[in-house]
Amino acid sequence: MAEKPYHHGDLRAALLAAAEDELTEKGVEGFSLRSVAKRAGVSHAAPAHHFGDTGGLLTALAAEGFTQFQDTLDAREVGATDARDKAVRAGLGYLEFALARPALFRLIFSSARPDFASPDLIAAANRAYEHLVGLVTTLGGGETDVLALWATSHGIADLSAGHKMRTLQGKSPAAREAMIRDVLLRCLPGA
């Protein structure tokens, strides 16, 4: 059987996109390099050549996931009226990412499969964490405030992505957002 010819302009990006599709469809338990290669339309050896093994590909996908997570927060913060609004918008971005990409959200925050000692993954995760710390510090808060905002944002996002946030179910998008804004404001320093 002849291997498929390489036609991608950016094989790494194509493999990461195929990996996210695979993760979304089959979960981390059913994830395989061979299936990712098939989705990307490349030889079964291509993912291993670029990422080593399944763990390497999931690690690279997690690093990219944290980058995209932070990009979602940054985009949501555009137009903030002040530091408090910016922090609340970041929390809403957290939820937006979790709802739009639940498999990737769980990979970066709940899975033990990526190598969290990888320098690229550490850098991407630290960028997101330092952003959170910066939002809280700007408001005069400390570690406890960081923990409050992070835990609350993550809890709302995780429960919502898993369709477990009954309090929000059935509400209009505007009503849901208003309720979440109120909760997030309570977590901020000086609330």
Side-chain angles (χ1 to χ4, degrees), residues 150-170:
W150 188 10
T152 302
S153 297
H154 186 84
I156 291 169
D158 192 42
L159 289 167
S160 294
H163 308 288
K164 305 293 188 221
M165 187 58 79
R166 292 183 184 167
T167 305
L168 298 176
Q169 291 174 356

Side-chain angles (χ1 to χ4, degrees), residues 3 20 28 31-32 41 55 58 62 68 70 73 76 82 87-88 94 97 101 107 116-117 119 121 127 131 172 175 185:
E3 291 186 359
E20 185 176 355
V28 74
F31 189 90
S32 79
L58 287 170
Q68 293 173 11
Q70 185 58 53
L73 271 59
R76 191 67 190 238
D82 59 23
V88 168
Y94 208 116
F97 183 84
R101 301 169 99 171
L107 178 70
F116 283 91
L121 183 49
R127 176 180 170 234
H131 181 77
S172 71
L185 281 167

Side-chain angles (χ1 to χ4, degrees), residues 5-153:
Y6 169 72
H7 290 295
H8 292 285
D10 184 350
L11 180 57
R12 185 177 197 282
L15 288 169
L16 288 171
E20 185 176 355
D21 291 344
E22 179 78 2
L23 184 68
T24 299
E25 185 179 311
K26 296 186 179 174
V28 74
E29 298 82 15
F31 189 90
S32 79
L33 289 181
R34 191 171 288 273
S35 291
V36 170
K38 184 176 180 180
R39 283 179 189 272
V42 297
S43 76
H44 69 274
H49 174 73
H50 280 270
F51 301 104
D53 58 13
T54 303
L57 179 51
L58 287 170
T59 299
L61 183 59
E64 179 63 22
F66 268 114
T67 297
Q68 293 173 11
F69 169 75
Q70 185 58 53
D71 290 348
T72 301
L73 271 59
D74 292 343
R76 191 67 190 238
E77 293 168 21
V78 170
T81 57
D82 59 23
R84 292 178 74 75
D85 185 39
K86 187 175 182 179
V88 168
R89 286 173 180 244
L92 292 168
Y94 208 116
L95 174 62
E96 180 182 323
F97 183 84
L99 292 176
R101 301 169 99 171
L104 192 54
F105 177 80
R106 287 198 168 76
L107 178 70
I108 66 176
F109 286 114
S110 302
S111 180
R113 296 284 303 274
D115 177 7
F116 283 91
S118 158
D120 289 343
L121 183 49
I122 289 170
N126 283 348
R127 176 180 170 234
Y129 180 73
E130 292 304 323
H131 181 77
L132 169 66
V133 171
L135 291 170
V136 172
T137 302
T138 298
L139 293 168
E143 288 180 331
T144 302
D145 301 299
V146 169
L147 179 61
L149 182 58
W150 188 10
T152 302
S153 297

